[in-house]
């Protein structure tokens, strides 16, 4: 897919538009320039038709039928496309699950009394997680329970178990379905390793068999690695509660030392928040001429801090280079995932220090200060000091903070949502049953320079809430909605009358922020709770998922576990599968008869909204709930996925 013409605006957001003017004036290359330089992108790769899984290749299949139809080994288009997708899903699952394992290792070190700066914050959740696994909690100190829980969770990664512990949260009907079709996720590492094995030359050459294992691999992430990351982060750093903060580049303060925390893992950033309050460091910042220390978030590390600490959010994925270009950023502290290697190049044009913190994620041009949970707070202080020491090198003439910040509400863990509902999903179930709320949609995922930044998220959200569909958001989608003012209780005014009345009664926005990318596990838990309350399987609920601007392998994995869990999902960016009609037909069609849900691809968020609303109404009808006449939801007659399929 080539870059689109966005009427001259690469972003919907004013802060990005203003800083992009500087980038153009000063000829500082950005992600959009590099995309343009890549065009035309390789058509074989875009269709999933190239393979370099061995050195008899690389091979490619001619989609027009004139050139080669088989790789050197004999693999055809279906095998190659399915193998490529399977590997991407394994990579996404591995990223989330390795994040989960890192959190688990810190949790274990905490339980063993080896850390400084960490504590068990949510003892209630610790007990609940222990009870789920049959671990005794009565009259035992939290650390002892935590040690046993850590051991049990390590067992989830690579053992000979036949299923993951968190599957106890899945409705029995769905578990039975997974058993029947052989996709019950076993060890988290095992499924990804098996995917790498299957996709080695000469192993699994049956596209459907590969794709079924891709579902299994993704489930080991959603109901495994990601869920461990979310739940243990809650135990250590606190289960989120509603909190009001601010968003966009206006969160940077012209008179403060500004430090941005970027990536995904909250382990180091949480102690940096503590370190930034250290009186000695605050004094040092003042000695250097600053009014104080201002921490802001980027991407999902930002989401983790926003959800639990109310730390302001500077921006989503495509803002990382632009945040540096404000000239007001002393340090960008990066952990891992979604950090463009280009940030160190942009930083050379300013005084910003890029500080990498994980030995598995080094960036040429960055200062490396490795994270160690046993010295967490000390390392946090070392990093904040670096930021402060950069402040005198800031050129005030170069500072450009382009907008005022916008308020946004975050902090909607499942516990917080149920709390707002009075402790049970029943009021939400009743509102859905009556039709006051038509259904709920999870809008998740990234920015992608192939889509005008934030346009997909904001437009789809607007169209859904104004038609009484509750929207749940995570990741970079949530940040887009925040910038657009859709995430304060006052945004209920943008909603249809039913959703508006519910939001106003509860004092909540019509768009609820559930957290970071790994926190899509919260959406699974909420969907399972709704299914449990109604006594049905997840695929029977009026729910949908959407990733309007996705770019990453993690997002591919998220979409896959959401579909495998029974939720119809619309992608806004075409995945590289259109070189195989069989693969497209399975993922966008046949899968529905296997797991009760399928994918669609629809780049236009206006059309995606119609598609999703029609889906929700058809699910309502099947449940015997009042539904709107489908003719009233005009314009979505053609299911987009099949219209895009390669013929
Ligand atoms: Fe070519 Fe087959 Fe090797 Fe892939 S695995 S590069 S299709 S020979
Ligand atoms: S950070 S995976 S760009 S949502 Fe989670 Fe954003 Fe996508 Fe990364």
């Amino acid at each position: 897919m080539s870059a689109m013409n966005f009427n001259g605006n690469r972003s919907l957001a004013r802060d990005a538009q203003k800083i992009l003017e500087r980038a153009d004036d000063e000829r500082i290359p950005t992600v959009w320039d590099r995309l343009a330089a890549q065009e035309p992108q390789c058509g074989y790769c875009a269709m999933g038709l190239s393979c370099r899984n061995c050195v008899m290749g690389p091979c490619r299949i001619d989609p027009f039928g004139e050139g080669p139809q088989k790789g050197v080994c004999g693999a055809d288009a279906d095998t190659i496309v399915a193998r490529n997708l399977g590997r991407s899903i394994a990579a996404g699952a591995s990223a989330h699950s390795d994040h989960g394992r890192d959190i688990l290792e810190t949790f274990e070190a905490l339980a063993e009394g080896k850390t400084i700066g960490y504590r068990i914050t949510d003892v209630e959740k610790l007990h609940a997680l222990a009870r789920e696994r049959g671990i005794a909690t009565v009259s035992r100190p939290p650390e002892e329970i935590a040690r046993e829980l850590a051991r049990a969770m390590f067992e989830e990664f690579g053992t000979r178990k036949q299923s993951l512990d968190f599957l106890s949260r899945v409705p029995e009907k769905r578990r039975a379905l997974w058993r029947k079709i052989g996709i019950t996720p076993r060890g988290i590492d095992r499924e990804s390793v098996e995917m790498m094995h299957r996709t080695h030359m000469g192993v699994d050459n049956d596209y459907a068999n590969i794709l079924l294992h891709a579902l299994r691999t993704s489930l080991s992430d959603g109901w495994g690695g990601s869920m461990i990351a979310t739940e243990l982060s809650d135990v250590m750093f606190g289960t989120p509660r509603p909190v009001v903060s601010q968003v966009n580049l206006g969160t940077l303060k012209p008179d403060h030392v500004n430090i941005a925390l970027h990536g995904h893992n909250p382990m180091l950033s949480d102690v940096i928040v503590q370190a930034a309050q250290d009186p000695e460091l605050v004094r040092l910042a003042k000695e250097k001429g600053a009014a104080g220390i201002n921490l802001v978030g980027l991407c999902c590390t930002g989401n983790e801090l926003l959800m639990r600490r109310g730390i302001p959010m500077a921006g989503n994925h495509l803002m990382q280079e632009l945040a540096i270009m404000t000239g007001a950023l002393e340090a960008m502290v990066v952990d891992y995932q979604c950090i463009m290697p280009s940030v160190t190049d942009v930083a050379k044009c300013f005084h910003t220090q890029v500080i990498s913190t994980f030995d598995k994620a080094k960036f040429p041009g960055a200062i490396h200060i490795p994270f160690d949970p046993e010295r967490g707070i000390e390392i946090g202080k070392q990093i904040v000091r670096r930021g402060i020491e950069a402040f005198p090198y800031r050129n005030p003439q170069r500072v450009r903070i382009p907008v005022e910040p916008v308020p946004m509400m975050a902090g909607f863990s499942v516990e917080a949502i149920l709390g707002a509902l009075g402790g049970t999903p029943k009021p939400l179930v009743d509102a859905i049953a009556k039709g006051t709320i038509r259904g709920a949609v999870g809008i998740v995922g990234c920015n992608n320079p192939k889509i005008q930044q934030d346009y997909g998220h904001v437009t789809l959200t607007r169209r859904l809430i104004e038609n009484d569909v509750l929207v749940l958001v995570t990741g970079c989608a949530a940040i887009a909605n925040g910038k657009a003012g859709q995430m304060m209780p006052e945004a209920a005014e943008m909603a249809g009358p039913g959703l508006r009345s519910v939001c106003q009664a509860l004092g909540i926005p019509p768009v609820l922020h559930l957290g970071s990318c790994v926190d899509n596990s919260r959406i699974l838990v909420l969907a399972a709770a709704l299914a449990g309350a109604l006594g049905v399987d997840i695929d029977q609920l009026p729910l949908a998922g959407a990733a309007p601007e996705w770019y990453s392998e993690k997002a591919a994995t998220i979409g896959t576990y959401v579909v495998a869990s029974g939720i119809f999902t619309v992608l806004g960016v075409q995945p590289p599968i259109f070189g195989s009609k069989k693969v497209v037909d399975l993922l966008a069609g046949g899968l529905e008869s296997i797991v009760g849900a399928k994918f669609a691809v629809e780049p236009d968020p206006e059309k995606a909204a119609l598609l999703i609303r029609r889906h929700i109404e058809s699910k309502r009808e099947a449940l015997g709930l009042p539904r709107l006449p489908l003719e009233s939801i005009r314009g979505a007659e053609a299911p987009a996925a099949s219209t895009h399929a390669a013929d």
Side-chain angles (χ1 to χ4, degrees), residues 27 95 138 145 154 196 211 306 316 319 333 353 384 394 422 445 447 501 507 515 532 647:
R27 296 176 183 242
V138 179
I145 300 169
F154 275 119
M196 298 309 286
L211 294 177
L306 169 66
N316 43 6
M319 300 308 291
V333 184
Q353 308 253 312
V384 172
R394 182 195 287 186
N447 291 141
S501 65
D647 289 314

Side-chain angles (χ1 to χ4, degrees), residues 605-637:
E606 299 279 4
K607 290 184 186 157
L610 295 167
L611 205 58
I612 287 171
R613 290 180 54 213
R614 287 173 68 92
H615 167 79
I616 283 175
E617 295 304 328
S618 65
K619 289 291 173 187
R620 293 183 61 86
E621 182 179 31
L623 279 173
L625 302 177
R627 77 153 169 86
L628 299 173
L630 292 185
E631 318 77 72
S632 70
I633 307 170
R634 283 192 295 272
E637 286 75 16

Side-chain angles (χ1 to χ4, degrees), residues 2-139:
S2 61
M4 297 175 184
N5 180 349
F6 313 131
N7 298 324
N9 278 331
R10 286 156 281 186
S11 174
L12 191 68
R14 190 78 186 127
D15 57 350
Q17 292 171 5
K18 298 293 280 182
I19 296 292
L20 280 166
E21 286 170 13
R22 159 175 264 181
D24 293 344
D25 289 349
E26 300 185 16
R27 296 176 183 242
I28 304 173
T30 65
V31 63
W32 287 275
D33 301 308
R34 293 188 297 273
L35 173 60
Q38 285 288 338
E39 288 182 345
Q41 289 182 312
C42 173
Y44 296 102
C45 292
M47 298 181 85
L49 284 173
S50 51
C51 180
R52 52 179 179 76
N53 287 10
C54 84
V55 294
M56 291 192 287
C59 304
R60 60 187 194 276
I61 304 297
D62 182 355
F64 304 109
E66 288 162 13
Q69 294 302 297
K70 296 269 172 85
V72 176
C73 67
D76 63 11
D78 305 325
T79 305
I80 289 175
V81 168
R83 282 198 310 215
N84 288 339
L85 181 64
R87 284 197 167 200
S88 284
I89 288 169
S94 301
H96 280 154
S97 298
D98 202 40
H99 167 168
R101 182 179 10 237
D102 284 340
I103 299 271
L104 177 53
E105 283 180 350
T106 298
F107 177 70
E108 184 188 44
L110 161 66
E112 289 174 352
K114 292 180 183 164
T115 60
I116 303 170
Y118 299 94
R119 64 191 180 92
I120 294 171
T121 304
D122 190 339
V123 177
E124 204 179 312
K125 179 163 271 198
L126 172 74
H127 282 188
L129 291 168
R131 279 195 302 271
E132 266 185 307
R133 285 159 184 76
I135 296 169
T137 57
V138 179
S139 306

Side-chain angles (χ1 to χ4, degrees), residues 59-342:
C59 304
R60 60 187 194 276
I61 304 297
D62 182 355
F64 304 109
E66 288 162 13
Q69 294 302 297
K70 296 269 172 85
V72 176
C73 67
D76 63 11
D78 305 325
T79 305
I80 289 175
V81 168
R83 282 198 310 215
N84 288 339
L85 181 64
R87 284 197 167 200
S88 284
I89 288 169
S94 301
H96 280 154
S97 298
D98 202 40
H99 167 168
R101 182 179 10 237
D102 284 340
I103 299 271
L104 177 53
E105 283 180 350
T106 298
F107 177 70
E108 184 188 44
L110 161 66
E112 289 174 352
K114 292 180 183 164
T115 60
I116 303 170
Y118 299 94
R119 64 191 180 92
I120 294 171
T121 304
D122 190 339
V123 177
E124 204 179 312
K125 179 163 271 198
L126 172 74
H127 282 188
L129 291 168
R131 279 195 302 271
E132 266 185 307
R133 285 159 184 76
I135 296 169
T137 57
V138 179
S139 306
R140 296 181 79 190
E143 290 72 20
E144 192 180 310
I145 300 169
R147 279 197 295 279
E148 198 172 336
L149 179 61
R151 278 196 296 277
M153 284 185 163
F154 275 119
E155 289 293 307
E156 299 283 78
F157 279 85
T159 64
R160 298 192 301 173
K161 291 164 76 165
Q162 291 307 306
S163 93
L164 299 176
D165 287 348
F166 277 127
L167 296 202
S168 62
R169 298 176 172 189
V170 179
E172 175 48 35
K173 284 182 186 164
R174 183 124 304 250
R175 275 186 280 156
L177 174 68
W178 290 346
R179 274 196 300 276
K180 187 171 137 213
I181 57 177
I183 63 166
T184 302
R186 302 159 295 178
I188 294 163
D189 293 343
R190 177 182 184 164
E191 305 306 1
S192 290
V193 169
E194 185 171 320
M195 178 56 83
M196 298 309 286
H197 176 194
R198 282 175 182 240
T199 53
H200 187 280
M201 201 295 276
V203 185
D204 198 349
N205 296 295
D206 179 326
Y207 77 97
N209 208 37
I210 296 168
L211 294 177
L212 271 182
H213 188 70
L215 299 192
R216 190 177 212 176
T217 305
S218 73
L219 289 171
S220 77
D221 171 9
W223 296 93
S226 279
M227 207 166 276
I228 287 174
T230 297
E231 297 290 30
L232 290 187
S233 295
D234 284 356
V235 171
M236 285 195 285
F237 309 123
T239 301
R241 300 270 166 242
V243 60
V244 174
S245 186
Q246 294 182 319
V247 62
N248 75 27
L249 290 182
T251 56
L252 296 169
K253 294 184 180 172
D255 54 354
H256 278 60
V257 172
N258 290 303
I259 300 176
L261 305 164
H262 180 16
H264 282 79
N265 194 315
M267 288 187 311
L268 177 60
S269 45
D270 202 86
V271 287
I272 289 178
V273 174
Q274 297 173 45
Q277 291 157 5
D278 180 72
E280 198 188 313
L281 288 173
V282 173
R283 200 175 318 118
L284 180 64
K286 290 185 174 161
E287 275 168 31
K288 299 281 181 193
I293 303 165
N294 181 41
L295 299 182
V296 296
L298 281 165
C299 288
C300 281
T301 293
N303 279 322
E304 299 274 357
L305 296 172
L306 169 66
M307 290 285 285
R308 299 194 181 87
R309 305 261 178 266
I311 298 294
M313 172 64 79
N316 43 6
H317 184 53
L318 294 186
M319 300 308 291
Q320 54 189 293
E321 296 173 302
L322 308 188
I324 297 173
M325 284 185 223
T326 60
L329 196 59
E330 274 58 54
M332 176 179 279
V333 184
V334 301
D335 48 76
Y336 45 53
Q337 299 170 15
C338 302
I339 299 144
M340 293 186 197
S342 62

Side-chain angles (χ1 to χ4, degrees), residues 423-586:
T424 142
K426 189 165 181 312
L428 182 55
V429 170
D430 290 347
I432 291 175
K434 266 193 268 170
T436 320
I437 294 177
R438 311 302 306 171
V441 176
I443 302 182
V444 309
C446 324
N447 291 141
N448 184 323
K450 294 175 177 177
I451 307 265
Q452 186 188 41
Q453 188 198 13
D454 295 351
Y455 172 74
H457 299 307
V458 171
T459 308
L460 178 59
T461 300
R462 184 186 306 127
R463 293 296 174 242
L464 292 176
I465 63 173
E466 70 190 17
N467 287 288
D468 292 322
V469 176
L470 177 68
V471 172
L472 313 172
V473 289
T474 61
C476 290
I479 306 167
N481 298 126
K483 284 185 273 179
Q486 294 173 326
M487 294 184 69
M488 288 297 286
E490 296 72 34
E493 291 299 333
M494 302 176 194
L499 179 60
R500 188 190 315 143
S501 65
V502 172
C503 291
Q504 286 174 340
L506 298 174
I508 59 171
V511 185
L512 302 181
H513 190 343
L514 274 77
S516 64
C517 294
V518 293
D519 293 338
N520 285 305
S521 60
R522 299 191 202 276
I523 294 181
L524 295 181
V525 172
L526 191 60
L530 288 176
L534 278 166
V536 299
D537 193 0
I538 295 173
D539 66 318
Q540 294 172 266
L541 297 170
L543 303 179
E549 302 178 32
W550 74 285
Y551 91 89
S552 79
E553 291 170 315
K554 291 179 295 166
T557 313
I558 293 166
T560 307
Y561 70 62
V562 167
V563 168
S565 298
I567 301 173
F568 170 63
T569 294
V570 182
L571 303 176
V573 181
Q574 187 171 301
I577 60 170
F578 286 83
S580 165
K581 186 174 185 310
K582 285 183 184 165
V583 169
V584 172
D585 286 349
L586 179 58

